[in-house]
Amino acid sequence: MLEQLINWFPEWARPFIMPMLTIAIVLQVNLGVCSYLILLERKLSAWMQDRIGPNRVGPWGLLQPVADMLKLLLKEDVIPGHVNKFLYVLAPGISVFTTMLAFAVVPFGPVPRNLSATDGQFPFIIAPGVDLGLVFIFAVTSLAVYGIILGGWASNNKYSALGAMRASAQVVSYEIPLGMSVVGLALLTGSMSIEKILLHQADAGILGWNIWFQPLACVIFFAAAMAEAQRLPFDLSECEQELVGGWHTEYSAMKWGLFFLGEYTHVITISFLTSILFFGGWHFPWIAEPESQYLGSTLVKVLVLLMKSFAFIIVIQMLRWTIPRFRFDQLMGLAWKVLIPLATLNVICVMIVKQFHLNQWWLLPMSAALFLGAGLIGTQSSRPFARRTVEPVAEAHGHHAHAH
Amino acid sequence: MQWNEENGLLLIPLGLGCLAVWWLMPSAKQRPRILGGLAALAAILMMQLMLLPPAGDYVRNVLFFLFAAAAVISAGLMITDRNPVYAALWFALVTLAVCGLFLLNSAPFLSASTIIVYAGAIIVTFLFVIMLAQQSGTATSYDQQPIQPAIASIGAFILLGALLFTLQEWGHIDGKSTNLHAEPGQFIALPEGIQPNPLSQAPHDNPHEIGSLRVLGRSLFGDYLFAVEIAGTVLLIATIGAIAIAPRRSQGTL
């Protein structure tokens, strides 16, 4: 059917049909899913806090996202007089553009092994065959911080500037553990391509999923990716209690909405990546094996991947209401003193296993030992960075010390 | 005089470009920017005629000119913009455009890592510092005038001229094209007298492998092992130095 569709177009246009179709599907599904994820997040938070949540629009509040969307689109779009107009308008666009671009190399179904642009197979990925998919994702998501920095600076507001500065320091720091955590995967698989990492796990079966060999890397990746997406508990840059709204204080209507569209797209990308890199992607024993060819097996594979990703989205949203926000020095300490050394040690473990041809299963106790060791050091060290003692101030300024 | 005939032409766009940059640099008294813009445009067009890229297919040519023009124009704007924040943003655009050129010349890993390191980290740090120094959205009075515009632009263009001259010598060309017999994925042909490194472990026979991660790794840790180790040591020394300079906890940091 798809082949007929392609053949209906003139020769020169045929290579563009499949990518256009895929982009259209991904974009539409993403927009729809994002709005319903917001409803889910509100409902989840309500249940976790023993409330009812939005229940007025439609049955069980199911039409709430539609109402929210209409409200965002129809609201008056205020551009304050004291902002730098060009950058102020540009920032939300950068935010959405970069996060959407990152999704281009993420497969969302079983990518056919011998794929060509014109033979009518649905590719299940926007840009198939990118050899450096992981590096591409890190490169693009590292640009996402420009949206926040420019938005914060152009707003010409002290709260926004503080939020933007926090965001820039945070993203630059957390990029290092994020990149280091997947080096182990690349070494184990021998490739940086996301499709190849997925196929490698699918061919090896459920005991070949990377989570068995790299559980520590999975935790580091997940934490660092959350920090990159500025999700709670890492959302120091928009920290409502101290910074009003952080970098988006001055934004309203759909420009504000675009920032959150970017954030939710980022969350979806993280969930897809975690389930693909560490949990076998569309592979599931018995029902979705690489050789299963029964009717509708492709659909089952897509559903398996979607369910895995959905589970991670739920985890991310429940984390939001479970772990309180860090203090900023704790946040930087976590990246530089905990995650980066652990990720480096993890890479060294993988190198040892590969160099001396040890059994891959040695990686599981190694990761556990690293994790427990870090925990022990954390609890036993006599001066945790959380405890900041205030020096008694000199006599003349004594009353100030009480005031603080 | 042989030299003059071959390379004298190169001096015209170089001088013109130098003049344009000096003219466009922010200064106390307003100069009409259109003059500088026209001079810069003329310099770019003349230079483009002299240094044509290898003739590739249509798409490749279009992309090359797109990225190259973006890189050169953003670089000019980066130097001449009054507002430091805009200068940093133009710098980011220069990096992205140059990464596009890397990608065109089959170096995807170099391109991606340059984006991560430069656009994603270093320029973000620049912006961080600029925002600390200058918090309002509109430009303030200081930090807007170059200190020695004339010396800086002349020095930079002498450097650029030396670079172009070396490239021409290296490519054996007579002011027309840098590469008449380019292999696919190659910008400048290997000059006649130079043999490929016999110690190189990278397979040169497969043109599709050029620039892939495997070949890059073998080349870095085979051909250039010494340079890589030296670079790593220098960075380590810089890190130790930064830790040594940073004030101790007892001296009042967090």
Side-chain angles (χ1 to χ4, degrees):
Chain A
M1 190 191 77
L2 279 172
E3 201 162 5
Q4 285 166 357
L5 177 80
I6 288 176
N7 284 335
W8 185 76
F9 282 93
E11 185 83 43
W12 58 268
R14 284 178 196 166
F16 299 103
I17 305 302
M18 271 302 157
M20 287 295 173
L21 191 65
T22 326
I23 289 172
I25 290 175
V26 168
L27 200 64
Q28 296 311 317
V29 170
N30 186 20
L31 291 179
V33 165
C34 276
S35 58
Y36 272 89
L37 279 184
I38 294 173
L39 176 69
L40 180 71
E41 175 141 23
R42 293 175 67 180
K43 279 284 188 190
L44 260 183
S45 68
W47 292 330
M48 289 179 78
Q49 297 161 0
D50 206 9
R51 293 185 283 119
I52 296 173
N55 67 345
R56 292 290 146 177
V57 193
W60 306 290
L62 275 180
L63 293 179
Q64 184 71 41
V66 182
D68 282 347
M69 246 339 120
L70 280 177
K71 186 198 81 175
L72 281 178
L73 283 171
L74 297 177
K75 228 173 145 178
E76 186 190 355
D77 194 2
V78 183
I79 298 184
H82 54 76
V83 301
N84 182 327
K85 280 219 179 51
F86 179 67
L87 294 182
Y88 179 86
V89 176
L90 185 71
I94 294 180
S95 216
V96 172
F97 173 74
T98 47
T99 43
M100 294 253 178
L101 194 60
F103 206 82
V105 293
V106 179
F108 52 93
V111 178
R113 288 189 197 222
N114 45 356
L115 191 66
S116 80
T118 50
D119 64 356
Q121 284 174 304
F122 190 68
F124 289 110
I125 183 171
I126 294 173
V130 176
D131 218 19
L132 293 162
L134 273 177
V135 191
F136 173 82
I137 286 190
F138 295 150
V140 171
T141 49
S142 73
L143 294 180
V145 71
Y146 278 95
I148 295 175
I149 294 186
L150 294 184
W153 184 78
S155 294
N156 193 5
N157 173 322
K158 288 218 165 48
Y159 294 118
S160 303
L162 272 175
M165 276 192 273
R166 285 182 176 186
S168 57
Q170 177 181 338
V171 169
V172 168
S173 309
Y174 274 88
E175 229 155 61
I176 306 170
L178 188 70
M180 292 288 281
S181 63
V182 296
V183 172
L185 292 191
L187 285 176
L188 283 178
T189 314
S191 171
M192 279 268 190
S193 153
I194 298 176
E195 301 153 58
K196 281 186 187 152
I197 292 176
L198 198 163
L199 277 180
H200 186 259
Q201 299 175 73
D203 289 339
I206 187 169
L207 290 179
W209 288 6
N210 281 327
I211 183 69
W212 302 116
F213 310 121
Q214 294 280 287
L216 182 63
C218 181
V219 174
I220 296 173
F221 177 82
F222 200 63
M226 295 259 289
E228 286 263 306
Q230 316 275 332
R231 286 286 300 188
L232 232 141
F234 301 106
D235 71 337
L236 269 289
S237 56
E238 52 170 305
C239 203
E240 292 88 353
Q241 288 86 349
E242 353 175 335
L243 294 184
V244 190
W247 39 274
H248 57 72
T249 305
E250 299 282 354
Y251 280 88
S252 60
M254 202 53 208
K255 290 201 192 64
W256 181 87
L258 282 179
F259 274 129
F260 281 83
L261 183 63
E263 180 181 320
Y264 274 89
T265 312
H266 209 139
V267 167
I268 293 175
T269 313
I270 293 169
S271 313
F272 266 93
L273 273 183
T274 316
S275 46
I276 288 169
L277 295 180
F278 295 97
F279 290 87
W282 45 260
H283 175 264
F284 200 82
W286 304 300
I287 60 166
E289 297 279 359
E291 60 269 8
S292 55
Q293 289 294 337
Y294 58 88
L295 188 70
S297 61
T298 310
L299 190 67
V300 169
K301 285 173 183 172
V302 175
L303 282 180
V304 167
L305 180 55
L306 287 184
M307 287 324 276
K308 283 180 185 173
S309 314
F310 186 66
F312 283 107
I313 292 176
I314 298 279
V315 170
I316 290 177
Q317 299 195 335
M318 297 213 318
L319 273 178
R320 174 167 189 165
W321 306 107
T322 311
I323 305 179
R325 194 180 278 136
F326 288 96
R327 215 173 53 209
F328 196 69
D329 58 322
Q330 291 171 334
L331 180 86
M332 297 310 256
L334 180 70
W336 289 100
K337 295 179 189 165
V338 183
L339 292 184
I340 293 177
L342 273 183
T344 316
L345 288 174
N346 181 51
V347 172
I348 292 175
C349 287
V350 178
M351 284 176 179
I352 290 173
V353 167
K354 292 294 269 189
Q355 176 66 35
F356 298 108
H357 299 290
L358 300 178
N359 192 335
Q360 272 199 4
W361 283 99
W362 277 106
L363 284 170
L364 186 59
M366 278 171 163
S367 280
L370 281 182
F371 188 73
L372 291 178
L376 264 182
I377 294 173
T379 51
Q380 295 299 312
S381 70
S382 56
R383 201 179 59 189
F385 38 78
R387 213 176 299 143
R388 197 163 33 159
T389 48
V390 179
E391 294 284 321
V393 192
E395 283 295 307
H397 302 287
H399 57 282
H400 283 302
H402 288 293
H404 289 299
Chain B
M1 284 306 105
Q2 176 81 15
W3 186 88
N4 258 349
E5 279 168 27
E6 278 183 5
N7 300 289
L9 269 181
L10 209 55
L11 290 177
I12 303 172
L14 278 176
L16 212 56
C18 181
L19 200 70
V21 166
W22 174 78
W23 185 267
L24 283 174
M25 276 213 198
S27 69
K29 55 177 186 297
Q30 278 289 342
R31 301 197 190 100
R33 291 176 76 89
I34 185 84
L35 281 179
L38 284 177
L41 200 66
I44 292 174
L45 285 179
M46 283 172 78
M47 194 71 92
Q48 183 263 330
L49 286 179
M50 289 176 191
L51 300 166
L52 274 178
D57 56 302
Y58 177 68
V59 178
R60 198 187 141 87
N61 274 353
V62 169
L63 285 177
F64 173 83
F65 279 113
L66 209 67
F67 285 133
V72 173
I73 292 172
S74 332
L77 287 168
M78 169 184 107
I79 299 170
T80 55
D81 208 300
R82 230 164 235 285
N83 190 336
V85 170
Y86 279 119
L89 290 178
W90 286 120
F91 188 16
L93 268 187
V94 173
T95 317
L96 289 183
V98 171
C99 285
L101 288 179
F102 286 158
L103 211 55
L104 274 185
N105 290 294
S106 10
F109 186 77
L110 184 62
S111 157
S113 50
T114 309
I115 292 182
I116 295 177
V117 173
Y118 277 88
I122 293 183
I123 300 173
V124 170
T125 320
F126 283 176
L127 278 173
F128 184 87
V129 174
I130 294 170
M131 285 195 302
L132 272 179
Q134 179 195 336
Q135 282 171 5
S136 58
T138 51
T140 44
S141 58
Y142 58 90
D143 227 8
Q144 286 193 3
Q145 285 180 19
I147 297 171
Q148 285 172 323
I151 296 176
S153 31
I154 291 171
F157 272 85
I158 287 176
L159 191 69
L160 179 64
L163 213 75
L164 285 175
F165 176 68
T166 323
L167 270 181
Q168 286 207 336
E169 288 282 292
W170 206 58
H172 279 288
I173 42 144
D174 47 0
K176 269 291 169 207
S177 163
T178 48
N179 193 358
L180 294 172
H181 313 285
E183 299 285 317
Q186 209 181 14
F187 186 47
I188 295 164
L190 218 54
E192 297 286 320
I194 298 177
Q195 295 296 318
N197 184 354
L199 292 176
S200 169
Q201 295 173 9
H204 288 292
D205 44 344
N206 188 356
H208 294 292
E209 285 273 281
I210 293 174
S212 75
L213 202 53
R214 187 181 305 276
V215 174
L216 182 77
R218 286 186 154 217
S219 178
L220 272 183
F221 292 98
D223 302 348
Y224 302 105
L225 181 62
F226 187 63
V228 169
E229 292 297 328
I230 289 286
T233 317
V234 169
L235 286 176
L236 182 67
I237 293 170
T239 316
I240 295 171
I243 294 171
I245 291 172
R248 297 276 86 80
R249 210 172 269 265
S250 57
Q251 293 169 354
T253 52
L254 279 178

